[in-house]
Amino acid sequence: MSDSFWPDGYKSCFNLSFDYDSNSALMRRAPLDIVAQSRGRFAPNTAIPRILDLLDELDIKATFFTPGWTVDNFTESCEDIVARGHEMGAHGYLHEKLGEISMESERGVFLKALDSFEKIGVKPTGFRAPYWLISDRTLDLVQELGFTYDSNFMDDDMPYILKWRGEDTGLVELPVEWMMDDWPHFETHRMTPKQVWDIWKPEWDGIYRLGRYFGLTCHPQCIGRVSRLDMLEKLLRDAKDRGDVWFATCEEVAHWTRKKLS
Ligand SMILES: [Zn+2]
C-alpha cells in the first residue's frame, strides 16, 4: 500500500504512553501495607525524573494517564510532566475498578479526577480505565464529560472511530493490548528485559512493515528500573533511527484519526 494513513508521509506511528499509577491502587487495596506503598513511590521519586530526561534526550512526547490521587499527592511531579510538553490523560481517581462500582460512584470518580487536573491547569481529552476495565455506563460518562478519545479496547491495531450500541460515539479509540503492556511481563511474570525485548521487537518490526499503529503502555514504577528503561530506550532509538516513524501523543493520534476518517 503506497498511501499511508499517517500525516506528512510517515510510514507508521509509535505511541508511547505511561499509566502513572504511583501507589493509588495500593492505597485502595492495601492501605496498611507500607512497604507495598513504597513500590508505588518509586515512580515520583526516581522513575519519572529518569523517564522525562530520556524523553527529552530523544525528543519524544508521551501521554501520561494519571489517577487524580497521583495528581493530588505528587503534584510537582505532574506539573513537571506538563511543563516538559507531555500530555496527561484521565485514569480514575484511586485506580478504581469501574465495573464494580455504582453509577453514582463512577460519576463521582470522574468528577473528582477532573477536579484534581483542574488544580494543575489541565483538562484531559483522553480516558483510559484502570485495569482496562469499564462498566456498561463508562462510555456514556466519557462522552458526556467531553473527552475526545478512549484507550481501552483491544480489537484492532489501528485507531478508529468508536461505535457503542450501534451508534457513533464521536470518540476516537486508541486500541491497546496486554502484550504491549510492561506490567504483566515484568511484574506478574518477572521476565527479564531481554525476554520482553523478544516480545516487543518483532511486534514493532511487523507493525512498522505494515504501516500500522504501535501503542505501548508502560508504568513508571515498573519500566523505570535501570535495565528495563535501557531496553525501552533501545526500542525507541530503533524506531527513531528509521526516520519515517511518527512519534505522536494519544491526543495527536486521536486528532489526526478524526480528521482522516470523518
Ligand atoms: Zn493504571
Side-chain angles (χ1 to χ4, degrees), residues 19-21 24 65 67 91 95 129-131 219:
D19 292 358
Y20 185 6
D21 298 338
S24 58
F65 293 98
H91 192 55
H95 214 269
Y131 311 100
H219 297 74

Side-chain angles (χ1 to χ4, degrees), residues 34-244:
I34 55 173
V35 171
Q37 305 290 335
S38 75
R39 287 174 70 202
R41 286 198 303 276
F42 182 75
N45 291 350
T46 307
I48 289 283
R50 187 175 284 165
I51 288 166
L52 292 179
D53 285 349
L54 174 65
L55 296 181
D56 280 353
E57 192 187 325
L58 297 177
D59 192 23
I60 291 171
K61 298 289 184 258
T63 302
F64 291 75
F65 293 98
T66 306
W69 189 89
T70 299
V71 180
D72 286 347
N73 286 276
F74 304 112
T75 309
E76 277 179 31
S77 165
C78 293
E79 286 172 337
D80 197 18
I81 290 170
V82 175
R84 288 161 86 163
H86 303 287
E87 180 199 357
M88 294 203 100
H91 192 55
Y93 184 79
L94 202 53
H95 214 269
E96 297 84 358
K97 290 189 169 173
L98 297 180
E100 297 178 2
I101 60 179
S102 70
M103 178 60 169
E104 292 69 30
S105 307
E106 188 170 357
R107 181 183 294 276
V109 163
F110 270 95
L111 294 177
K112 200 167 175 200
L114 290 173
D115 269 355
S116 304
F117 279 114
E118 204 177 327
K119 286 179 216 150
I120 59 164
V122 170
K123 186 178 185 325
T125 61
F127 170 71
R128 173 178 288 165
Y131 311 100
W132 286 323
L133 180 66
I134 67 171
S135 78
D136 60 354
R137 305 156 308 227
T138 306
L139 291 177
D140 294 331
L141 279 167
V142 168
Q143 291 173 77
E144 180 194 322
L145 295 171
F147 291 95
T148 62
Y149 73 88
D150 178 86
S151 181
N152 291 302
F153 289 92
M154 308 192 183
D155 47 0
D156 208 333
D157 53 19
M158 284 294 278
Y160 59 90
I161 305 288
L162 183 63
K163 283 193 189 317
W164 170 239
R165 293 177 176 143
E167 307 268 329
D168 188 340
T169 60
L171 297 166
V172 171
E173 177 64 30
L174 302 188
V176 291
E177 223 301 306
W178 287 110
M179 180 181 72
M180 317 262 275
D181 182 326
D182 60 346
W183 195 272
H185 303 320
F186 286 122
E187 300 294 330
T188 310
H189 300 295
R190 311 307 294 181
M191 287 182 181
T192 64
K194 171 88 176 65
Q195 288 173 309
V196 179
W197 169 264
D198 286 344
I199 295 171
W200 288 352
K201 178 65 164 55
E203 183 68 13
W204 160 238
D205 285 341
I207 289 286
Y208 173 78
R209 187 180 72 244
L210 298 173
R212 294 178 79 85
Y213 168 75
F214 190 78
L216 190 63
T217 299
C218 293
H219 297 74
Q221 61 243 58
C222 171
I223 201 77
R225 298 285 168 181
V226 176
S227 57
R228 297 171 179 173
L229 199 61
D230 284 350
M231 186 276 287
L232 177 63
E233 178 176 354
K234 203 167 120 187
L235 190 68
L236 294 171
R237 286 190 187 279
D238 176 283
K240 275 258 148 186
D241 288 348
R242 295 184 195 222
D244 55 0

Side-chain angles (χ1 to χ4, degrees), residues 26-37:
L26 288 157
M27 280 303 285
R28 189 172 51 76
R29 285 200 337 253
L32 300 180
D33 187 343
I34 55 173
V35 171
Q37 305 290 335

